Amino acid sequence: MTLRWRLTLFYTALLALLLTSVGVTTLYLMRSSLIGGLDNELRGTYTQFTTYVQSTRAASELSLPLDTARNDPGQVSDSLMLARYQFPNSSLALEQIDVYDRQTLLDSLDRARSPEERAALLSTLEALRNASRRSLGVDTQRPISLSGEELSDLIRSSSGQMFLNHLVQEPYRSAPTLMRLMVVLTPLPQVPGGAESAGVFGPNDGLSIVYVARSLSTVQDTLSQLKNVILLLFVVGLITAGSGAYVLAGQALQPLRRVQRAAERIGGQTLTERVPVPQTGDEVESLAMALNAMLGRLEDSFDAQRRFTSDASHELRTPVTAISGHAGYLLRRTNPNEQQQESLKIIQSESARLTNLIASLLQLARSDSGALLLTREPIFATLLLSDIARELAPLAQAQRTALTTIGQEVAFEGDPDRLKQVIINLVSNALKAGAQTVTLDSHTVSSAAVGGQAVRLSVHDDGPGIPADQLERLFDRFYRLEDSRSRDQGGAGLGLSIARGIVDAHGGRIWLESEVGRGTTAHVELPIGNVPVLDEDDVP
């Protein structure tokens, strides 16, 4: 993954985390605010309801369902109709535990230590609550009810009240509604005056449980809408931030990409070039300056190496020529004995090998410095390979190797002498390896490496093959296989290095493919170049 994408994903993920935190916090605060507001409304409704119950006779009639009020108004007093009008959005219920006061109830709960005693106390309280329950806006068949644990928490509560989210079955609804429920355990004093009221409320300070409930649908709808808005903002924000981060990262990395492209173009023959230094005043500018300084040091080092190679080659050529000449003179003009003749011939042979080595080093020095001159002209592939086959035929026949040429005729542009040197080197390597069959092949290919149509010249042999881990190393200077016959035949390990330099100068590429025990194939891929359109009569 590129640095640009990593930066984009990092900042997008960071923003996603921030937006998620903000969204969750906003939803939490909004929910707390809405629930807090609803709780305040429930407190107000509770105050109004208890005041209303204490001042009217409606408590004795709250158990009548609302449809009774519609179907038989004579059974319902005006106070009940007024109660429904006063609390249209609330579900209300009242239960009396008039045989207990608060302290007695706490003591009874504390004394009920065993599960059996606790169950008996809760059963007694349940009977009292069921017998005295009055409700408004609640289905009488499915009243509001607290579990034993919830009732115990209510009794032990220091404030005598608790808030719950509870399912409440309203009249004329098929399914219960989730409501915010306020439950208060409080003494509800008897309203003096009238035996009828006294029969309802009981003793003056008897405890009552008051239920005030209101639907949470408004809160849920508000939170749902807010959640949708936050989700929309989250998606839009991430898309916008991701796109912006991608664009900004691209702009910030643009100078670095220019430096990278310039650095990729610089090679051993182009060390005089430098990467552009962006005037950004940041680390990219410092990096470009450091790269240029490093390239300057490399250029000086390469120049010193090339000068040494060239100067040493020139200086060595004269004494080697003199040694070879004097050895030949002694062989021709004197009468050495057999041992002396052998020594002189060894001197001549080694002088010739050293002369070839000096010539190879000079050619490599020119190639490294970019001074390798090419004489480009149209070349016919099969004609070039046929000439090479004829030239090497005596050598191939001497070791009983079949040397053949196949493929299609391809016209391309190049230096025939230099390319001939490359192919001869490849065929010579095959012969030195002991191949019994060597085939020269030519055909056209479409190559992205050379930028379009190309000619591929291949040398196939059935030699012993080369291990895969050594294929690329064979192009290193002075590198030779340990079991290579070229070591016994005087090879210096520079042939493939020189071949690669010549091919690189043509803008092509060279590589080896091999399988141990099956043989080796050397490929040379060259651009077609600017070849004029030729008639059949122009092809020799």
Side-chain angles (χ1 to χ4, degrees), residues 104-121:
T104 303
L105 192 58
L106 279 171
D107 292 342
S108 299
L109 188 62
D110 290 340
R111 285 195 299 270
R113 300 181 182 276
S114 67
E116 293 78 9
E117 293 175 343
R118 184 182 180 87
L121 175 61

Side-chain angles (χ1 to χ4, degrees), residues 49 61-67 80 84 87-95 133-145 166-173 176-177 179-181 210-215:
F49 177 64
E61 301 173 352
L62 287 176
S63 61
L64 293 174
L66 291 181
D67 58 352
L80 180 60
R84 182 72 274 182
F87 308 103
N89 299 321
S90 300
S91 295
L92 307 166
L94 176 65
E95 298 171 351
R133 182 178 293 116
R134 303 291 185 267
S135 60
L136 182 66
V138 182
D139 190 341
T140 56
Q141 302 300 319
R142 300 175 64 181
I144 302 175
S145 180
H166 208 284
L167 289 174
V168 177
Q169 181 65 54
E170 298 178 281
Y172 315 116
R173 288 185 180 271
T177 303
M179 292 190 178
R180 185 68 173 174
L181 177 64
V210 180
Y211 301 88
V212 182
R214 184 165 293 184
S215 174

Side-chain angles (χ1 to χ4, degrees), residues 397-419:
Q397 292 172 1
Q399 63 181 52
R400 298 180 180 178
T401 301
L403 183 59
T404 58
T405 303
I406 61 174
Q408 64 185 110
E409 185 63 271
V410 182
F412 64 99
E413 186 182 41
D415 189 323
D417 293 333
R418 298 292 186 182
L419 294 177

